[in-house]
Amino acid sequence: MDADSNKLLKVQPSGYGSVWHSGTTVSMEVTGYQQVQWRVILCHILTVLTVGMLRLIFYWKPVLEVLFKCNPCHLSQSDWVVIKDSFNQQFIASVCTEEIEDDCFPQLAEPGGDDNHITLAIGVLEDDWRDTVQLQKQKEKNVIRYYTFEGLRYIWTERKGNFCKLSDFDEMLMCEDIHKQRKGLSKHNQNKKRQVYGPNMIEVLVKPYFTLLVEEVLNPFYIFQIFSIILWIIEEYYYYAACILLISVISIGISLYQTHKQSVMLRNMVKLTLNVQVHRESGEEEVISSQDLVPGDCIVIPEDGILVPCDVALLNGECMVNESMLTGESVPVMKTPLPIQNVIYSTEEHKRHTLFCGTQVLQSKSYSTDQQVLAVVVKTGFCTSKGELISSILYPKPLGFMFYKDAMKFIIFLGILALIGDIYSIVILEKQRVSVGRVLTRILDLITIIIPPALPAAMTVGAIYAQDRLKKYGIFCISPPRINICGKLKLICFDKTGTLTEEGLDYWGVVLAGGKNFDPIIQDTQRLVSSRMLHALATCHSVTLLNNRPIGDPLDLKMIESTGWTLSNEMPDCDVNATFGMKVLAFMKPPLLEEHTFGSNEETVLGILRRFPFSSTLQRMSVITKKPGNSSFEVYMKGAPEMVASLCVKETVPADFSGVLRCYAKDGYRVLGLAYKTLSLGITFETLHTLERNSVESDMTFLGFLIMRNILKPETKPVIDNLIRADFRTVMVTGDNMLTALNVARNCGMVGLTDKVIFANASPPSFDSPACVKFQLTDPAPDENGTEQLQQQPGNYSLEQSYYHFALNGNSFAVIYDYFPDLLQKILLRGTVYARMAPSQKTQLVESLQKLEYIVGMCGDGANDCGALKAADAGISLSESEASVASPFTSKIDNIECIPMIIREGRASLITSFGVFKYMAMYSMIQFVSVLILYTINSNLGDWQYLYFDLVITTTVAILMGRTGPAKQLAAQRPVGSLINITILGSLLLQTVLVVLIQVLAYSVTTTQSWFVPASISSTSSKLPNYENTALFCVSGFQYLILATVLSKGQPFRKPLYSNVLFLVALVLLYTMMIFLTIYPLQFVRKILQLMFIDDMKFKLLLLVFAALQFFISFLFELAIDNGFLNACKRPLCKKKSSKKLYKRLEKELCYNLAWPRLNEIIYAE
């Protein structure tokens, strides 16, 4: 680095050259590197000298190329950056410099800054940084410096001193600022912003076939194949080399076709280009391509809908949107205008006011006849919600599964074994005075034998078969490696509504607030003639008409159905503006007069003027309505009873609120609270749509409860019972009431009828006291203030040895998560019911369970569970959508019967992967031992013998072994997930010893026969055929088949071997063929395979006896290992170690700590 640059950097901080980026989901360390010219020249020279090997290494490990060619430097001067993510993966990215126009980018908000603004390095750089630009450009220019990583652009920001994700610059945008952008951008400003933001595209690169071919051939697997083929040709194994080459070419061709096809399919699924109408700053409108959109553009949403090309915030009107592509939720969602508030805009917090990229607007409706529905672009390209999901598919996080890591360790071990074999071979062949060239080819040949190049492909066979079987059941998987992980699941979280219980709720009745106490339940809603409760039921919903058919939340549809009222978009017989005084969104018409059973003709049409949609965070929704004429405006609210009661005037909430709510919730009913208030008359249409939600939803009058019956799906209880019998932990995480959730948990079997339930009641810190937690026995009961209380149990005592479950709501979970991290771990061990959980809290729960080293599954309907489904090790979305990106698994089976199916397939796939891995390892060991024995007489296997073993036997076995289906029942035990395990390693060791003994025995017996003639010692001949080779060929041929048989385990995780008919038939044919080749091979077969003719029938039968002995002992070994023989032998020799799994260690501590938890004792945060 030159002196001028050093002068600029001055005194560097300790983290010089590196900066941590922390995001919502990942964190990464970015380190800057500057290219050094002499290093680049040296690299080119070494590449030539190593015949391209250095270039190949750099291709496999790009980070090494940057380290070789560059010096570490400050990020402001970097030509390259090395990115290290939270999984310790390293990537490189080139830093680009682009000249742009002046003031191309607006000043952007920065939290915590002195002037609350930051300035990008896009104008003339000042102070110390001005010299840097002059050194680079020789003159002052307006430039931005950025790199692109996983589709996202990171721009250098001068104030922060690091590269910031482009979307971060819009993080502090206020809702009222978005409304100010309704005029749109000028053409000039749009073009300038596009220079920074780039085109609005989620680009999936489809590489040409030639590029894919080069990348495939340069894969280490195929490089090893090429090396092996060249070696076999040198050794004159022409037929074998030709066959392997042909198979490799076919394999490459299939791989290229599949890769190209998947890329094209994903590109077509993602590609979204259409013409959109935008507002210009001048007041004009223009139709442009969606690719030209940038944040700040104001677009028009047509009445008949649009496929949304980016994330946009809705400014006015209402939109009915199908979000199934993103969430898997098939029910359309109502979107309403973004409130004009001085609060920070967030796509998560304001998702009910945001139209997400890739979703389909079914219809839009303006509040005014002369006004268009407008929306402002907030995010484009990979910064959108769809872009983030596509990025997670293109760049998935590493699975971190021990099986795959251990497989690589084992291959390294095989390499070490090959080195030992090479040393032995050199010694043996040197004694025989074999030429150096032949020694070299022989020792290299050992490497190709003991490290099977087909191993990586063979290990995926089980997952491919499992994926195909799941597809036949309507279960689709976009990440096949996760199928194996499903075999190790220990804990499964379930959403409640639509997952454990029926999606649609049945109307049961209403309970009116009759003053100080509630009235008896009214089950016939039509008796509520001309009452505000009836009006609340008829209007407080988000249902809309699409093609004259009502669509919306199933609960809302049932509620409207119970009233007999009908929804309409128009009133043909009257002037709406004259009748209601303003634009009306929808009309609710009462049933015809003759349909009234108890009523009169007093009912009239109600107009819905504005909706505040349901929010899982706020736990409520509301509408503003009006009757025809000069009547006042009325607000109706519906939501969680506790929340509704907390927003009502206290005097209107009956005294027996808690008791009545507790009564219905304990019986499993879904209870909703309803309330109303009257607004003043002097409100105009414009004022109505600027009212803040908080002011509208306050000082309400409590009306009563709506009681809905939410019954369990008939499949739920049998599946939960099955999972519990198989030793799975089942957890319910729901947004519903605690008591309702507990009732469902008991009814479905998650909580036993005699099990105790402890409610963890936590309170946040206040002015005079820290956060606290109190454990209370019995069920919680909500009070009129919206907090869930418990019937007090006198005295402080512990549960001692009784089994118990923890139950807590979202508020308590938040407090414990923030202030009691150690206590949280213990609660999670026994936590079974989590109620009133927000979507973000569901994600936090899954991630917290993973920190305890649980392998977690999550099953939900995809609507409010997207984050949790993506975070879980195995997320299963119950959805009608086949290609939803909401989770790795999507099931068209609309109940949880898919869970045992996926687990059983996962276990079968995992066992198949272990079985195939062990078989491929043993196949290498059998051939390795055979070759080493033959090296002692300077011989080897023949060309066609290799072909027979590798293609006829091994390939057939590896392909068909994985077809064995899963066991019908879930076993209580789980399969091992690691290869570094005494059962796996013990099995391989014992089987290897047996293989060596049988082959040495066969070789020794052969050399003692009276007719035996030893092969002549010659370094120039392969000496085939010979008796030693023939004997070993026959014995080792049986060994391949015997190990294929004994390693194809059935129960408890797979069906028996005989259920795999194709595999069974193949084994029978191969055994028959080997017996035929041993007892009576035909002359032309002997000639092809280079076998000696042996006339001694007793010797041939003896070889069959050796094979039978191998089968019997191998079978006994596997039987003993499966029954825990090795673990029993290890126990007296080794001290019992604590489990590697954190949750097991904590569970053990809890079992010994009988005094915890102390009930009714307040615990304060430190």
Side-chain angles (χ1 to χ4, degrees), residues 614-671:
F614 175 78
S615 165
S616 54
T617 305
L618 300 176
Q619 299 179 354
R620 63 184 186 270
M621 74 157 293
S622 61
V623 294
I624 300 177
T625 68
K626 188 178 186 297
K627 294 179 182 179
N630 260 339
S631 59
S632 59
F633 299 95
E634 290 190 332
V635 179
Y636 293 103
M637 181 169 64
K638 163 179 107 244
E642 311 93 323
M643 179 57 69
V644 171
S646 67
L647 297 172
C648 291
V649 176
K650 191 172 183 180
E651 290 74 21
T652 66
V653 179
D656 56 350
F657 174 90
S658 299
V660 174
L661 175 58
R662 180 183 180 82
C663 175
Y664 285 105
K666 281 192 70 174
D667 289 338
Y669 290 100
R670 178 81 179 271
V671 183

Side-chain angles (χ1 to χ4, degrees), residues 222-277:
Y222 285 111
I223 292 291
F224 186 66
Q225 283 282 47
I226 293 168
F227 163 76
S228 302
I229 289 170
I230 294 171
L231 182 64
W232 295 328
I233 292 173
I234 293 172
E235 292 196 275
E236 300 179 359
Y237 291 126
Y238 300 121
Y239 295 112
Y240 183 70
C243 287
I244 295 299
L245 179 61
L246 178 62
I247 291 172
S248 297
V249 169
I250 294 172
S251 174
I252 288 173
I254 293 172
S255 177
L256 294 185
Y257 173 75
Q258 291 289 347
T259 303
H260 191 268
K261 180 182 175 182
Q262 289 172 3
S263 297
V264 170
M265 184 177 68
L266 186 59
R267 182 189 64 185
N268 293 339
M269 184 176 81
V270 169
K271 189 176 181 181
L272 178 56
T273 303
L274 66 157
N275 291 329
V276 293
Q277 188 175 347

Side-chain angles (χ1 to χ4, degrees), residues 490 715-730 748-750 900 907 968-974:
K490 173 63 179 175
E715 303 85 1
T716 297
K717 183 168 176 53
V719 170
I720 296 295
D721 289 342
N722 188 13
L723 291 173
I724 291 174
R725 279 196 304 270
D727 197 29
F728 283 88
R729 269 199 66 195
T730 55
C748 73
M750 281 188 186
R907 289 181 170 187
K968 291 184 178 180
Q969 296 296 327
L970 280 177
Q973 67 189 96
R974 291 192 302 159

Side-chain angles (χ1 to χ4, degrees), residues 902-930:
I902 293 173
I903 295 172
R904 289 189 290 110
E905 288 290 358
R907 289 181 170 187
S909 174
L910 188 58
I911 291 298
T912 297
S913 298
F914 276 117
V916 171
F917 182 88
K918 287 167 66 177
Y919 175 75
M920 295 299 290
M922 288 308 305
Y923 141 76
S924 297
M925 293 304 300
I926 293 168
Q927 206 165 86
F928 182 66
V929 172
S930 299

Side-chain angles (χ1 to χ4, degrees), residues 794-812:
N796 295 339
Y797 58 92
S798 64
L799 291 178
E800 296 183 353
Q801 295 182 346
S802 61
Y803 193 79
Y804 56 89
H805 303 262
F806 282 119
L808 59 161
N809 61 21
N811 292 335
S812 296

